[in-house]
Amino acid sequence: MSETAPATRADLFALLDRLGIDHSTIDHDPVFTVEEGQAIKAAMPGGHTKNLFLDDGRGALVLVSALGETVIRVNRLHRVLGTKRFSFGKEEALYETLGVRPGSVTAFALMNDTEGRVRFVIDQALLATDPVNFHPLKNDATTAIAAADLVKFAQATGHEPTIVDFDALAADD
C-alpha cells in the first residue's frame, strides 16, 4: 500500500461506478464471523463470502475469497499455488497491504494493494453464484456485485485471480 490512507467506502463505490459495475449495499451492525452474518444472508440474495489473508512466511501473501460454507484446506492450498505452507497473515501485514483490519477482510481491499503484493484466489463455487456479497472495506455493511464483475474488479486493480476448486481440494486425500 502506498503512503496514502486506505481507500474509503466512497472511494470503492466511485471505482465500481467508473468500472461500470452495478452494486447495492445494506448497512448493518458489524459482523466478524459467517455465523454472525446469518440475518444479513437471509436479507440479501446470492453468495455470502469468507475471506482469508494468508502468508507462507517467505513473502507470498494470498487473499482467498470463497463461499461462506466452502471448506478451505489451508494446509493443502500451497500445493496448488506453488508456495510454502500457509498460516494466517499478521494484522500488520493485512493493514499494510490491503488497508483493512481483521473482521473486515474483503476482495474489495485489493484496491489498496497498489504494489501488487497480494495474490488473489477465488473459490470456483463463488463464481458460480450470483450476486456475490462482500464487506465494502469495513464489516458494518455488505455490498453485492455480479460474480463476473468480481473478476473485472480484481483485474482492474492489477490482480489476475487464480480460481481454485476448493471442493476438489478438500476431497483430495
Side-chain angles (χ1 to χ4, degrees):
M1 199 170 76
S2 68
E3 297 297 318
T4 60
T8 64
R9 184 196 294 199
D11 297 330
L12 169 63
F13 293 165
L15 176 57
L16 293 174
D17 291 343
R18 276 196 311 279
L19 295 173
I21 294 175
D22 288 333
H23 54 95
S24 63
T25 299
I26 292 178
D27 291 302
H28 51 71
D29 290 334
V31 293
F32 294 91
T33 66
V34 172
E35 292 75 30
E36 288 176 0
Q38 290 304 319
I40 299 153
K41 186 175 182 177
M44 291 184 81
H48 291 266
T49 58
K50 62 181 167 189
N51 299 274
L52 306 178
F53 180 68
L54 306 173
D55 184 342
D56 79 344
R58 299 261 175 104
L61 300 174
V62 173
L63 173 63
V64 176
S65 292
L67 281 174
E69 57 271 14
T70 295
V71 174
I72 298 175
R73 300 294 294 267
V74 173
N75 62 340
R76 294 182 181 175
L77 184 58
H78 70 284
R79 294 181 203 151
V80 175
L81 301 181
T83 64
K84 298 293 181 187
R85 283 181 173 256
F86 286 108
S87 60
F88 289 98
K90 293 187 176 4
E91 182 175 353
E92 299 80 29
L94 172 64
Y95 189 76
E96 179 185 313
T97 56
L98 294 177
V100 294
R101 300 289 183 196
S104 294
V105 180
T106 172
F108 293 138
L110 291 169
M111 70 186 291
N112 286 315
D113 180 30
T114 57
E115 297 173 9
R117 293 177 53 199
V118 178
R119 184 170 179 182
F120 185 42
V121 174
I122 302 176
D123 176 13
Q124 180 176 301
L126 181 62
L127 291 178
T129 307
D130 218 29
V132 293
N133 299 288
F134 293 92
H135 294 309
L137 305 175
K138 290 191 178 171
N139 63 353
D140 59 356
T142 300
T143 298
I145 63 172
D149 285 337
L150 173 60
V151 173
K152 180 179 180 179
F153 173 83
Q155 292 169 333
T157 65
H159 298 86
E160 186 63 42
T162 300
I163 299 166
V164 173
D165 182 349
F166 285 102
D167 289 340
L169 192 61
D172 182 25
D173 287 317

